[in-house]
Amino acid sequence: KNEVEQSPQNLTAQEGEFITINCSYSVGISALHWLQQHPGGGIVSLFMLSSGKKKHGRLIATINIQEKHSSLHITASHPRDSAVYICAKGSGGGADGLTFGKGTHLIIQP
Amino acid sequence: GAGVSQTPSNKVTEKGKYVELRCDPISGHTALYWYRQSLGQGPEFLIYFQGTGAADDSGLPNDRFFAVRPEGSVSTLKIQRTERGDSAVYLCASSLGLAGGEEQFFGPGTRLTVL
């Protein structure tokens, strides 16, 4: 079982819809990362959080440490939001190589 | 300022050959990470450097894989006797290295194809 599980694996929605991507992890973390990867493109860090909630534009990330669960929300989704969204956890301690989920492939149709 | 750069962007080699992949981190970042991403999968951790030393190499799949960072900046990932299963995108990332749980900045990756 992967230490980081994401759902759904694939998500297709209409422009304007509210999007939620979920991430669960099985062991403790130093921080939980949300990343975005466009087809053929590099990986961009969206959020890094260890508690509570963060917001950037139309993106919101939340985390519940007790439940070992995080969500990424996109409000007023747009076709340019189409990408793979990846959840990753830092292991804590001095070394912080990330453990990644398999990603959620999001397609926003106009 | 410049981000993380990786060269080459694409590398095609034959089974059994030796390859080197290069990563230039963001200037001043002491932490450097190598990851590997196979098609349709999330990246997987290979090795992490703090300065010149490999702080965690637990993700290297076998002894054909080796990485160095002799001066604490540029890093080279070396793969000996390449196999078809090594085909993947190799990603490099860097961070400030001040504490655990830092934002990591990723390079564009090197796509390695072993024929």
Side-chain angles (χ1 to χ4, degrees):
Chain A
K1 186 180 186 297
N2 197 18
E3 285 183 36
V4 180
E5 297 280 351
Q6 279 185 247
S7 63
Q9 267 189 286
N10 296 281
L11 177 57
T12 300
Q14 294 299 119
E15 183 173 358
E17 285 189 40
F18 181 82
I19 303 298
T20 296
I21 299 170
N22 294 300
C23 175
S24 297
Y25 53 93
S26 56
V27 295
I29 60 169
S30 59
L32 194 289
H33 300 247
W34 282 101
L35 308 150
Q36 181 191 57
Q37 187 172 34
H38 282 281
I43 291 177
V44 174
S45 177
L46 297 174
F47 294 104
M48 187 187 70
L49 65 166
S50 54
S51 65
K53 174 180 172 178
K54 287 190 177 181
K55 184 176 188 295
H56 182 68
R58 294 180 295 106
L59 301 178
I60 303 166
T62 64
I63 189 168
N64 184 318
I65 297 294
Q66 286 73 29
E67 295 185 4
K68 294 188 175 59
H69 182 269
S70 177
S71 293
L72 176 69
H73 305 286
I74 306 175
T75 62
S77 59
H78 190 275
R80 65 174 174 267
D81 297 326
S82 299
V84 176
Y85 291 84
I86 306 174
C87 169
K89 74 173 188 71
S91 57
D96 218 10
L98 299 179
T99 301
F100 294 81
K102 291 187 177 179
T104 294
H105 189 193
L106 174 66
I107 297 173
I108 304 297
Q109 294 178 335
Chain B
V4 178
S5 62
Q6 292 186 246
T7 55
S9 54
N10 282 284
K11 176 70 177 178
V12 180
T13 191
E14 293 179 345
K15 181 175 177 295
K17 299 290 189 184
Y18 168 83
V19 296
E20 289 189 353
L21 312 178
R22 176 187 167 109
C23 171
D24 274 274
I26 291 172
S27 177
H29 280 191
T30 63
L32 184 146
Y33 313 81
W34 283 100
Y35 300 96
R36 177 170 73 172
Q37 186 174 25
S38 300
L39 193 63
Q41 302 294 315
E44 58 176 342
F45 169 74
L46 296 177
I47 186 170
Y48 154 66
F49 286 90
Q50 180 62 261
T52 60
D56 182 356
D57 64 357
S58 62
L60 295 177
N62 51 60
D63 61 6
R64 295 187 297 106
F65 289 74
F66 189 71
V68 295
R69 194 185 186 200
E71 297 178 359
S73 55
V74 170
S75 176
T76 305
L77 179 66
K78 308 180 180 194
I79 311 174
Q80 299 177 317
R81 305 183 302 280
T82 51
E83 300 178 356
R84 292 194 180 89
D86 298 335
S87 296
V89 175
Y90 289 81
L91 296 162
C92 175
S94 70
S95 70
L96 284 168
L98 298 177
E102 294 177 334
E103 181 179 4
Q104 296 184 17
F105 297 83
F106 286 79
T110 293
R111 183 175 298 278
L112 175 66
T113 303
V114 182
L115 301 176

